[in-house]
Amino acid sequence: MSTFQDLKRWLAGGSAFMEQRDTDLRGQVALITGGTRGLGFLLAREFAREGCKLVICARDEAELARVKPEMEGWGAEVLTIQCDVSDKAQVDSMIEQANGRFGRVDILVNNAGVIMVGPYHEMKLADYEQAMGIMYWGVVYTTQAVLPQMRQRHSGRIVNITSVGGKVPVPHLLPYVSAKFAATAYSDGLRAEIAGEGISVTTIAPGLMRTGSYLNAYFKGEQEQELTWFGLGDNTPLISMDAERAARQIVTAAKNREAGRILSIPANLAALIYGLFPTVTPDIAGFVNRVILPKPGGAGPQKSRGMAVNERKPRPLFNALTVLGQLAAKRLNQYPGPLSVLNKTHKA
């Protein structure tokens, strides 16, 4: 009997979700972590276009101050908060500030992330701790902080930006994919557990996107070679996705309370292949790692930001092939940083 009642309540919750698929977001409060640049910046713009009030957090106070006037220019009411999402106390303080200003948080978008590229030989425990802190615990902390108020209202949307790297293990990105796999499991599991409570959880798994993020990723080992393969993949049309289109799709998924989306055809194909052949795909990735990807060495465990690596010596061919990424970096606040490459290629 209780099982039947549970099923009845779940179906009722599902029907309520269907009725709310096209809910107008005007006036709702959207909190976006890592919202000052790249995909997070675009998501802030898209939610502003939907008429949302914005709460934007990032670790860099100067960066927050720099982007706030532009966001207010979109017509949105904006609250910026300096916050490291890997620190629970800071997250709790951020939610208190958001509640103090707007009274609630209707939409939580967990977007903050960090990318470390290099062979596992060069990765230290601290790299895994940082990745898990931001991209797993950061998701858990913010979600746990907003869930009580959402449950009290029987309303809310949680959108977790994971990655196709949270579905398919990718060599030379081990701390990143480890955290993304954990975040994907948490997101999908949470949706199952709170089904019927009026709160939707949407798991977004983007593939490669042209956001200019390769310039703010960190590289170890043979840094120039690591930057080359990662940067080319991140910016080549057909392999990578236009970031503006990705942001629009994410907001649509949030509005429709979808369970999740994998963004881009290559990412969907990779996830499908891994799902069908989970024991074979890692061996294929291992072959690619041995034959194509850089070997350990170079700077070893020392890390350098992509911008700094790219500035070390002239790289005209690489810069020509990543021109879309450079334009995206300038458009989506991936700079400041060493601007000489961009300025040599494209005059402002």
Side-chain angles (χ1 to χ4, degrees):
M1 184 66 176
S2 63
T3 301
F4 175 76
Q5 290 173 340
D6 288 343
L7 178 61
K8 188 176 179 180
R9 282 196 296 269
W10 182 83
L11 290 172
S15 299
F17 279 174
M18 291 300 291
E19 292 170 3
Q20 297 175 38
R21 285 179 70 87
D22 297 317
T23 299
D24 191 337
L25 299 183
R26 280 180 294 184
Q28 294 199 13
V29 180
L31 189 162
I32 302 166
T33 69
T36 55
R37 60 187 180 186
L39 179 63
F41 179 78
L42 287 174
L43 289 171
R45 189 173 70 187
E46 291 301 316
F47 279 109
R49 287 173 174 171
E50 294 289 335
C52 292
K53 302 172 184 178
L54 301 178
V55 181
I56 304 298
C57 88
R59 287 176 291 178
D60 189 329
E61 187 174 11
E63 197 168 69
L64 287 163
R66 200 163 53 243
V67 302
K68 186 177 181 180
E70 183 173 359
M71 291 181 174
E72 291 174 333
W74 302 334
E77 188 175 353
V78 183
L79 171 64
T80 57
I81 303 173
Q82 185 181 15
C83 178
D84 179 350
V85 295
S86 68
D87 185 323
K88 184 179 182 300
Q90 291 189 41
V91 169
D92 290 342
S93 174
M94 173 178 67
I95 302 304
E96 287 180 9
Q97 292 178 63
N99 290 338
R101 173 71 174 271
F102 296 120
R104 66 192 188 282
V105 174
D106 299 296
I107 304 165
L108 169 65
V109 183
N110 284 306
N111 169 75
V114 61
I115 302 174
M116 186 78 68
V117 185
Y120 87 92
H121 309 71
E122 316 297 5
M123 297 299 172
K124 300 300 182 184
L125 186 59
D127 300 319
Y128 294 94
E129 291 172 340
Q130 182 190 46
M132 291 295 291
I134 294 172
M135 295 181 290
Y136 175 69
W137 286 112
V139 173
V140 174
Y141 291 154
T142 52
T143 301
Q144 294 296 110
V146 301
L147 268 178
Q149 59 172 281
M150 289 183 173
R151 295 185 69 184
Q152 187 175 23
R153 296 193 306 267
H154 300 286
S155 175
R157 290 173 168 85
I158 298 169
V159 183
N160 295 319
I161 311 299
T162 63
S163 169
V164 70
K167 295 180 177 291
V168 181
V170 181
H172 286 225
L173 288 167
L174 201 50
Y176 178 84
V177 299
S178 298
K180 290 298 188 180
F181 261 82
T184 299
Y186 174 78
S187 186
D188 289 344
L190 180 64
R191 181 180 177 91
E193 291 219 27
I194 63 175
E197 294 189 25
I199 306 164
S200 61
V201 181
T202 301
T203 307
I204 301 293
L208 294 167
M209 286 182 296
R210 297 188 294 276
T211 63
S213 63
Y214 72 106
L215 293 170
N216 277 306
Y218 290 92
F219 296 87
K220 292 190 168 193
E222 296 288 353
Q223 294 177 349
E224 292 181 9
Q225 296 177 35
E226 297 286 356
L227 174 64
T228 297
W229 79 261
F230 186 81
L232 290 177
D234 214 32
N235 295 291
T236 302
L238 300 182
I239 298 176
S240 63
M241 184 179 189
D242 175 75
E244 280 84 353
R245 185 160 62 93
R248 290 192 295 270
Q249 288 193 23
I250 292 168
V251 172
T252 297
K255 288 183 68 174
N256 293 341
R257 299 179 179 272
E258 296 177 18
R261 282 197 190 194
I262 301 174
L263 304 183
S264 85
I265 293 174
N268 273 279
L269 182 61
L272 175 63
I273 292 172
Y274 184 69
L276 292 173
F277 308 104
T279 59
V280 176
T281 310
D283 290 335
I284 296 173
F287 175 79
V288 171
N289 179 51
R290 291 190 301 273
V291 175
I292 298 176
L293 294 182
K295 301 295 185 288
Q302 180 181 343
K303 66 180 181 182
S304 296
R305 197 172 171 212
M307 284 185 200
V309 176
N310 202 42
E311 285 282 304
R312 287 175 184 164
K313 64 181 182 181
R315 307 183 75 196
L317 179 59
F318 176 77
N319 291 322
L321 293 174
T322 57
V323 62
L324 294 176
Q326 293 175 50
L327 290 172
K330 188 174 184 181
R331 193 170 67 249
L332 304 179
N333 296 322
Q334 298 289 3
Y335 293 98
L339 289 170
S340 61
V341 171
L342 182 65
N343 291 335
K344 287 173 185 174
T345 310
H346 300 283
K347 298 296 184 182

